[in-house]
Amino acid sequence: MLEVLSQIGELVGGLGALIALIYLARQIQQSNVIVRAQSRQTLLDTASAGDWDLARDTDLLEAFGAALDRWPDISDEQRTKFTLGMTRYLANIQNGLQLHEAGLVDAALVRQMGNNMAMCALTPGGARWWAAAERIIHPDVYAYVERLRAESKEEGLGGLLDEVLPFWIRMGRDAVSSWD
């Protein structure tokens, strides 16, 4: 009788351990889903904050427009604002690449951010800035954006950026006209 009770106890203990392992696996799975969602949201929030800064600050918007049109022939203040803004975007891309490598964000999100940078680097002034900016850009980010830039050259700007970039450039030209 004692032997049967011992075997039943082992069976119950084994089932308890199995249930605990299943529960822990489920908790880890849920935790991973939450971490992926938080990583994606943080990356989106950071990128969006930069976009909103640009939308709310006329001087910054004019600096971007002027730089994308005729870099480096703009004021020192505009060069500084543009470079700081672009390095912020580049840092977001670097974060996105690292999060993607860790499996926390999808490639499409990182590509969306990279495409924005590639499109800016295809404008007349943006291309001149980009050529000189390699020294301040992480090599992985530079290579990634260069690849997207090459693809974009083949495909053309396309979509929303066909409207946005000319608007930014026009803003820069309007700012210069208002100085005259």
Side-chain angles (χ1 to χ4, degrees):
M1 183 69 165
L2 229 51
E3 193 174 306
V4 170
L5 287 176
S6 172
Q7 289 176 348
I8 291 173
E10 284 182 30
L11 180 64
V12 169
L15 285 174
L18 181 62
I19 290 170
L21 286 174
I22 291 170
Y23 174 78
L24 288 174
R26 188 83 173 117
Q27 291 293 348
I28 290 171
Q29 185 180 34
Q30 282 182 321
S31 177
N32 288 340
V33 167
I34 290 169
V35 167
R36 279 193 295 277
Q38 287 173 333
S39 296
R40 184 179 187 345
Q41 189 61 49
T42 299
L43 194 60
L44 285 169
D45 287 347
T46 305
S48 180
D51 292 341
W52 276 113
D53 287 347
L54 188 60
R56 286 190 310 245
D57 185 339
T58 305
D59 291 338
L60 184 59
L61 184 60
E62 289 174 352
F64 263 70
L68 293 175
D69 186 30
R70 59 187 175 286
W71 180 272
D73 301 325
I74 56 178
S75 72
D76 288 343
E77 180 182 354
Q78 287 179 323
R79 278 196 303 269
T80 300
K81 285 182 177 188
F82 180 74
T83 299
L84 291 174
M86 292 303 257
T87 54
R88 180 178 183 177
Y89 281 112
L90 290 163
N92 286 339
I93 295 169
Q94 184 174 359
N95 290 341
L97 288 170
Q98 290 171 342
L99 290 169
H100 175 65
E101 191 174 298
L104 296 174
V105 297
D106 58 17
L109 176 60
V110 180
R111 184 178 178 99
Q112 176 186 358
M113 295 169 63
N115 280 342
N116 287 341
M117 180 60 65
M119 296 302 162
C120 288
L122 286 171
T123 64
R128 288 188 296 275
W129 178 84
W130 183 253
E134 183 176 5
R135 299 181 314 266
I136 63 169
I137 300 171
H138 189 280
D140 293 343
V141 175
Y142 189 83
Y144 181 72
V145 173
E146 267 300 295
R147 182 175 58 81
L148 297 178
R149 196 169 164 247
E151 291 172 10
S152 296
K153 277 183 186 177
E154 294 171 11
E155 300 168 8
L157 293 180
L160 179 62
L161 288 173
D162 275 330
E163 298 171 22
V164 173
L165 290 179
F167 172 73
W168 284 356
I169 290 170
R170 196 169 50 254
M171 285 286 294
R173 286 183 182 153
D174 291 347
V176 170
S177 297
S178 70
W179 297 336
D180 296 336

